[in-house]
Amino acid sequence: MSGGWNTIESDAGVFTYLVENLGVKDVQFEELIALDADFLRQQSPVYGVIFLFKYPTGEKPTGTPKDGSFDSDAAENIFFATQTIQNACGTQALLSVLLNKEAEIDLGPQLKEFREFAQALPSDFRGEALSNSELIRDVHNSFARSSPFVDETQRIATEDDDVYHFIAYTPINGVLYELDGLQPAPISHGPCSFDEFSDKVIPVLQRRIDRYPANEIRFNLLALVRDLRIRALEIGDQDRLYGEKQKRSAWQWENTLRRHNFIGFIDEMLKGVVRSKLEEGDAAYDQWIEEASSKTKARMGGKSG
């Protein structure tokens, strides 16, 4: 029986250190701010991309995908797992890329062992194996935001919620695959070599985005690439190396902040402010409250205007 999985952010720093904590070596995630094949190609080698989008909860499942075609036979030869638990889709998407690149990426001993075990199972059992992996679940949950208000391991999304979903795109055995644990099988988008991936995946992503209203902008795209510090060292680009090291430091700081709950700190700080005003006397305290109320009303009036 698996424990709960918390929601994690679609963030390059989160995903980079998540895979690093799983034992994967010499890779990182880069956020792509535009669907630009040239920019994606500049990050080469690109092992795959993770796409975050608002899940259309009102859609009914059909026997054929809206783009591409189901390749049921491929599920036996590549790593494809059915998603069996909520909130795990981010980690499942990145594993869908990693565990299909064992020849190109050093997965580390624990993920290698997991892949060898899970690959022998049917796709739905692979999903159960993933959900029940204490290593993967604990590392995943270590990057969830700390919240004293919502236990997301128990909460079930309703129709009124905005539900987001992660999927993976990666070239495997000369085919561009879309790997989505909520689908019954891998989705083939046609022939695609490793070198052609940047050019082939961008039109597929664009077609998917085009299915949404023009004002829908809540998408996120992360590319799994080789550690950019290694490339900087190979070409002797010290400025790039310094920039990448600074970026890693910023990611570590942000990830540390995500793990902490600051509600107690904020509560004590507010108590201290109120206490200091009360020490000035009732008149000063009442004036402070009145000034704050007036400023709030003015801001609200400006927004409504």
Side-chain angles (χ1 to χ4, degrees), residues 51 53 55 70 79-85 88-94 96 123-128 130-131 165-169 178-187 208:
F51 184 56
F53 60 97
Y55 192 75
F70 287 128
F79 186 88
F80 175 77
T82 301
Q83 184 178 331
T84 61
I85 192 168
C89 59
T91 295
Q92 181 154 339
L94 68 85
S96 292
S123 60
D124 53 344
F125 285 7
R126 289 177 202 156
E128 289 291 346
L130 193 159
S131 298
H165 185 52
F166 293 90
I167 60 176
Y169 293 89
E178 174 184 330
L179 302 176
D180 178 356
L182 296 182
Q183 298 294 339
I187 297 174
R208 187 174 197 110

Side-chain angles (χ1 to χ4, degrees), residues 12 15-16 19 27-31 50 94 222-225 251:
F15 277 41
T16 295
V19 299
V27 297
Q28 71 179 71
F29 283 88
E30 279 291 291
E31 184 172 6
I50 309 299
L94 68 85
L222 299 174
L224 178 61
V225 303
W251 283 348

Side-chain angles (χ1 to χ4, degrees), residues 13-285:
V14 169
F15 277 41
T16 295
Y17 281 99
L18 194 158
V19 299
E20 186 172 288
N21 288 359
L22 287 172
V24 182
K25 295 180 174 60
D26 299 336
V27 297
Q28 71 179 71
F29 283 88
E30 279 291 291
E31 184 172 6
L32 305 177
I33 59 175
L35 293 180
D36 186 334
D38 290 333
F39 178 77
L40 183 58
R41 198 179 304 109
Q42 290 170 13
Q43 314 307 310
S44 295
V46 181
Y47 303 109
V49 296
I50 309 299
F51 184 56
L52 173 73
F53 60 97
K54 184 178 178 181
Y55 192 75
T57 54
E59 283 189 1
K60 295 181 179 179
T62 61
T64 57
K66 291 190 174 182
D67 192 16
S69 58
F70 287 128
D71 188 348
S72 299
D73 294 337
E76 301 300 320
N77 303 315
I78 69 176
F79 186 88
F80 175 77
T82 301
Q83 184 178 331
T84 61
I85 192 168
Q86 69 173 13
N87 296 334
C89 59
T91 295
Q92 181 154 339
L94 68 85
L95 289 175
S96 292
V97 178
L98 285 171
L99 299 184
N100 284 299
K101 294 289 179 285
E102 73 279 10
E104 295 98 334
I105 297 175
D106 184 352
L107 300 178
Q110 291 173 302
L111 276 188
K112 284 181 181 177
E113 182 180 351
F114 172 80
R115 189 190 188 283
E116 290 172 0
F117 166 74
Q119 187 60 31
L121 304 172
S123 60
D124 53 344
F125 285 7
R126 289 177 202 156
E128 289 291 346
L130 193 159
S131 298
N132 283 282
S133 167
E134 291 188 10
L135 167 70
I136 297 172
R137 184 178 66 249
D138 289 348
V139 171
H140 169 102
N141 284 342
S142 72
F143 288 91
R145 282 193 179 276
S146 176
S147 172
F149 303 119
V150 179
D151 180 2
E152 294 204 358
T153 67
Q154 302 297 327
R155 184 178 181 275
I156 304 298
T158 68
E159 292 184 0
D160 295 329
D161 289 328
D162 285 338
V163 179
Y164 294 88
H165 185 52
F166 293 90
I167 60 176
Y169 293 89
T170 185
I172 310 170
N173 300 330
V175 177
L176 172 56
Y177 282 110
E178 174 184 330
L179 302 176
D180 178 356
L182 296 182
Q183 298 294 339
I187 297 174
S188 168
H189 290 281
C192 177
S193 68
F194 188 81
D195 292 335
E196 294 173 322
F197 176 68
S198 296
D199 292 306
K200 293 283 184 82
V201 73
I202 295 299
V204 175
L205 290 166
Q206 188 64 63
R207 290 196 298 270
R208 187 174 197 110
I209 291 173
D210 288 344
R211 301 206 296 262
Y212 287 81
N215 62 349
E216 178 58 73
I217 60 172
R218 290 169 293 182
F219 304 101
N220 187 255
L221 186 63
L222 299 174
L224 178 61
V225 303
R226 190 172 64 144
D227 189 333
L228 295 177
R229 295 172 300 180
I230 297 176
R231 180 188 301 173
L233 279 170
E234 289 175 346
I235 64 177
D237 189 339
Q238 295 301 316
D239 290 339
R240 179 68 177 273
L241 179 60
Y242 176 78
E244 290 300 323
K245 287 182 177 180
Q246 290 294 103
K247 182 167 65 178
R248 290 283 182 133
S249 296
W251 283 348
Q252 285 182 317
W253 172 244
E254 292 165 2
N255 288 337
T256 299
L257 292 180
R258 285 184 178 93
R259 295 187 178 98
H260 289 282
N261 168 20
F262 292 96
I263 298 301
F265 167 75
I266 295 170
D267 180 58
E268 290 301 317
M269 182 181 68
L270 291 175
K271 286 179 181 178
V273 172
V274 171
R275 188 180 305 113
S276 68
K277 288 297 179 181
L278 288 173
E279 289 173 353
E280 295 176 17
D282 292 343
Y285 176 79

